[in-house]
Amino acid sequence: MLELAKAYEPGKVEDRIYSRWLKNDAFHADPDSTKPAYSIVIPPPNVTGVLTMGHVLNNTIQDILARRARMTGHEVLWLPGTDHAGLATQTAVEKALRKPDQLPPTVKEMLDSFKLPADTKLTRQNIGRENMIKLIWAWTKDRGGIIIEQLKKLGCSCDWKRERFTLDENYLKEVQQVFVELYNKGYMYRGLRMCNWCPASLTAISDEEVEMKPQKSKLYTMRYEIAEEPGRFVEIATTRPETLMADTAVAVHPEDKRYMDLIGKHAIRPFPKTNIPIIPDDYIDIEFGTGVLKVTPAHDKNDFEIGQRHNLPIINIMTADGHIDCPDVPELHGMERFQARDKAAELLDSMGQLVKIDAYDNNVGFSERGKVPIEPRLSEQWFLKYPKIKESLEAVCSNETEKKVIRFFPTHWEKTYAHWLENIQDWCISRQVWWGHRIPVWYRKNTQEEITETVASIERPQGEGWEQDPDSMDTWASSWLWAYATMDERTRKKFYPTSVLVTGPDIIFLWVARMIIAGLELEPGTSRQLKDHIPFKDVYFTGLIRDGKGRKMSKSLGNSPDPLMLIKKYGADGLRFGLMRIAPKGQDIRFDEKQIEEGRNFANKLWNACRFRTMQGEIDPTANPFNENHQLSPFAHHLLASLEDLLTTVEEAFNKYEFNTASSAIYSFVWDTFCSRFLEVAKADFNNKDSLTRSGTLATIDYTINHVLRLLHPFMPFITEEIWTELGFCGTSNTSILFTEYPQPQKKLNANQKLAHRTQQLYETLDRGRALRAEFQIPTNQKVVMKLKLAQNAEIDDHDIDILSGLLHTSELKIVKTALSKTPSVITPIGDLYLPLEGVIDVDQERARLEKELAKAQADLERENKKLQNEAMLKKAPAEKVNTWRDIADKAKDKITKLKKSLDNL
RNA sequence: GCGUGCUUAGCUCAGUGGUAGAGCAUCUGGUUUACACCCAGAGGGUCGUAGGUUCAAACCCUACAGCACGCACCA
């Protein structure tokens, strides 16, 4: 047997252990296995991303589930991979191209091979579609996979041989096939619609990718003259004067008495000067502003709808990149949109048509990627009319157990999910982005460039003149198939639907809801029951990790700690365990490095406890304190009874995904019950090896370590594997702890509860005695004589007295028959414990101490008496409770009597 | 405006009806057969406010306040 190294050094064993697991193919998921399947889904991280605390949280939880599932006899599939993250990656490369000198060598090489003229500005337009895609591939290959290596450092037990990328050939085909299928079913359509346009990225984005931000804006009030009544003006409030060139009407509420007579007349738009009709529309809020709205159908979603209702012309005065395109107003033409805003106000002012400018708080939609305000823009895009909305709703929110086939943890996310589905809008799925899955639609045009034929197909259709749609799909239109498009038929048969999805609630719409819809609509095999169509059975929503000030962690704030640095400093196990202890089910987490330090400290504690054991001789990996001819001490019974409780707690916590409950329970068992209590007591016997063996103490320790290591393995995979192997629990076959059985609660309690209780009383006595010493500031290293007057029914033997004596650091613990006076004492479960002090005791100090104890006892008595004197309470409360109260009251009474006597004797 | 979550010790948070808890921080003592990433002890809380239900409320209900987030937004 090997002894453990003197100190636990996080970061030293991880790589070695992980490569051993990989070498043994330990995470392989066998589709032909006869074991029950357990499969898990996690959002594939961006291929060029790096590990964030969010990933650490998700993946730790996922890994805990995976490892425990293996240990409970499941065949586990955790299929890893990365997402191409279309727009995000393309934008990143475009940005990198601005500093060509700093490009990774492989990318630079690729770029050079294009032989662009030396003075070419490196925009994607200048580079061209085909070459740009080549460049991004090169970038992806250079930068990609970093996060995969980082996940390994964290200990993730993924089946790496199955690693997928959302642009893999097979995956790409699945995505396009799904598009074709939905097109043929009539769900996918192309239309000229108002969409969210990002003027920075030059693409449309979906509603879900627009982030509303409060802004300090200005509200401009301007006045337009009435064409039919020269000299009469209407006042109009707007936040966007720069779009007035595109106004094609002025609208008022049909029942607004102030303006009713104007309906049908015309207002004079100041520039370019023209008459625009005054129209009635219910949409207008009489209360807001002046009650008059300028209608700009080309540049506002609501105005567009008003325009549709009234057949208004649509005038577009803005370029794709957010500049004014209106040659008729040369002062503004070509100007950037926000500069044009000020300029337009100036123009109005110079014409005497600007009434006032008010400060105004409103919300403006920003593009998540481009970080600029989105521009409502009319454009031709592909849309998905979502199928299976009702079914998706029922699958999660139905009151009928049969229909509710997906469980959310915590359940309150069901409401958010339902709200989205109930108000769902068609999904703008096309992106004017090159990096991604190209829309599998082909057009044939006539000589006037009009589309005459449209075909959806992965392959180019037969015949001449077919052109593919230039757009690609939203990234989420590929990742929404992740759960099943990553599997082949054989794998799917075994592992689909998956068991659990772990993710943050921030992508509940972008990903979770859409996966459910896709699963219900697309999964082949219509003969199966509904539950077989869902992509996953349980969804566990993690909380968000925030910084110490409660802010979201983000790159721009720079408030996100580097997980790799944390791993280096505290070990992957410390990071994982520390995080799990503070991650209650689905609540946001305020991150504090101290908590990771605690995780590391715990690993150290575990290590040292095991090291301590190795110093006492050979370990028996199969030790069973119950089975052999041991005369188990009450202390052992106490420990084993606690262990049994722990198993139950952990089992129940796992069933509810309460990782903090499970980890905290193990923590306090190991630290307090096992180390501080049991091992300290056991030390008393360690000088007598024979008695140790006979009493089963060593067997109890080995049995406990054996259980604790396995209990902890999902949380702390590395250190548990290391100790497991080093201490020989792996046996001669050298079995990894990965493949051992997870400790389950025992059906029948083996430990003697009565003896366990007796030990509990001894422990409490010990605590009281230590407190007494501390109260009189007797240094730990100073031996004193203490005396004990046993209570009548105290169960205690000489061995117990020896133990107590040792742990109380007494030179002698003397049993006395009569109560002592003028001697500091405490009342303990087994009797009165005295600390006879040499010389004179400080009467005032002792009085103060006794009075404090008296007050506490009196408070206890009062509280319980209040209950016991309440007749209604006695009548209605269960007898068991009443007995407890009585018991507390009796003890308090007894204590009060004794304390009063001591006080009198002072 | 609608919805969700939170409000418990100085800090970070557990605690789903019956004696208010942990870690950190603070203070005191400590070279004990592993561990100073440690050991032993102490102080510190009218559980956001106000009502209600109940024999009994930190916990269930209602209202309110504050904070956070999500959705929808009025030009």
Side-chain angles (χ1 to χ4, degrees), chain A residues 21 56 118 151 181 195 544 603 656 708:
Chain A
W21 285 333
V56 172
L151 287 172
E181 184 183 334
C195 60
L544 291 177
K656 291 184 280 184
V708 162

Side-chain angles (χ1 to χ4, degrees), chain A residues 263-555:
Chain A
I263 293 167
K265 293 178 181 166
H266 292 79
I268 302 171
R269 191 183 66 196
F271 47 84
K273 199 163 186 171
T274 190
N275 290 355
I276 52 175
I278 299 171
I279 57 167
D281 198 287
D282 286 343
Y283 170 77
I284 313 304
D285 181 353
I286 296 177
E287 306 291 319
F288 189 86
T290 60
V292 186
L293 172 73
K294 75 186 202 52
V295 185
T296 323
H299 298 290
D300 184 280
K301 212 176 167 188
N302 291 314
D303 290 12
F304 178 76
E305 279 158 25
I306 297 175
Q308 294 294 92
R309 287 198 284 273
H310 297 273
N311 256 328
L312 297 175
I314 297 166
I315 306 172
N316 183 353
I317 52 106
M318 203 161 321
T319 62
D321 64 351
H323 289 71
I324 303 297
D325 177 19
C326 185
D328 292 343
V329 184
E331 295 93 329
L332 298 177
H333 183 63
M335 197 175 255
E336 193 274 330
R337 53 186 171 151
F338 296 110
Q339 289 174 359
R341 180 172 299 174
D342 295 338
K343 187 71 187 169
E346 239 174 69
L347 281 177
L348 282 168
D349 198 20
S350 68
M351 297 163 81
Q353 288 189 264
L354 183 66
V355 180
K356 58 175 176 175
I357 304 176
D358 296 312
Y360 184 59
D361 294 333
N362 65 345
N363 287 311
V364 175
F366 275 68
S367 149
E368 265 185 349
R369 244 354 110 191
K371 309 281 175 208
V372 296
I374 60 118
E375 193 60 48
R377 184 177 173 86
L378 195 62
S379 68
E380 192 109 39
Q381 302 290 347
W382 281 95
F383 293 90
L384 174 72
K385 182 177 154 46
Y386 287 99
K388 296 284 192 295
I389 294 172
K390 186 168 150 271
E391 290 82 351
S392 300
L393 196 56
E394 278 178 348
V396 174
C397 307
S398 178
N399 292 325
E400 297 167 52
T401 334
E402 261 175 48
K403 290 184 181 162
K404 189 184 176 120
V405 285
I406 299 176
R407 300 189 298 169
F408 276 13
F409 296 85
T411 51
H412 68 78
W413 290 110
E414 288 173 8
K415 284 198 176 175
T416 308
Y417 171 86
H419 185 258
W420 183 74
L421 275 174
E422 282 157 3
N423 297 282
I424 200 162
Q425 303 281 316
D426 291 356
W427 178 7
C428 176
I429 220 166
S430 50
R431 297 286 178 276
Q432 287 65 56
V433 169
W434 292 343
W435 176 245
H437 303 82
R438 194 151 171 187
I439 305 235
V441 173
W442 306 81
Y443 307 109
R444 227 167 2 191
K445 295 175 179 169
N446 62 17
T447 45
Q448 279 88 48
E449 285 293 302
E450 289 162 343
I451 293 172
T452 53
E453 278 178 275
T454 303
V455 170
S457 149
I458 298 178
E459 305 295 337
R460 175 186 291 271
Q462 298 291 318
E464 292 297 304
W466 289 104
E467 265 177 53
Q468 189 172 5
D469 193 294
D471 292 348
S472 65
M473 285 181 231
D474 185 355
T475 290
W476 297 105
S478 77
S479 35
W480 75 328
L481 306 178
W482 185 257
Y484 89 85
T486 47
M487 301 184 193
D488 57 24
E489 267 311 317
R490 197 157 135 252
T491 311
R492 230 175 272 173
K493 204 170 164 206
K494 176 76 184 172
F495 292 106
Y496 192 90
T498 64
S499 313
V500 61
L501 164 71
V502 178
T503 186
D506 47 333
I507 52 175
I508 184 169
F509 311 136
L510 289 168
W511 198 51
V512 180
R514 285 169 175 167
M515 278 180 105
I516 293 172
I517 291 171
L520 291 175
E521 177 64 24
L522 301 166
E523 159 63 3
T526 43
S527 62
R528 294 200 235 165
Q529 295 298 306
L530 178 66
K531 67 179 162 55
D532 292 323
H533 288 258
I534 54 174
F536 32 71
K537 292 168 203 150
D538 286 358
V539 182
Y540 177 90
F541 289 104
T542 65
L544 291 177
I545 302 192
R546 301 172 174 283
D547 70 3
K549 290 174 186 148
R551 298 173 304 179
K552 242 178 169 170
M553 285 192 170
S554 74
K555 270 188 212 151

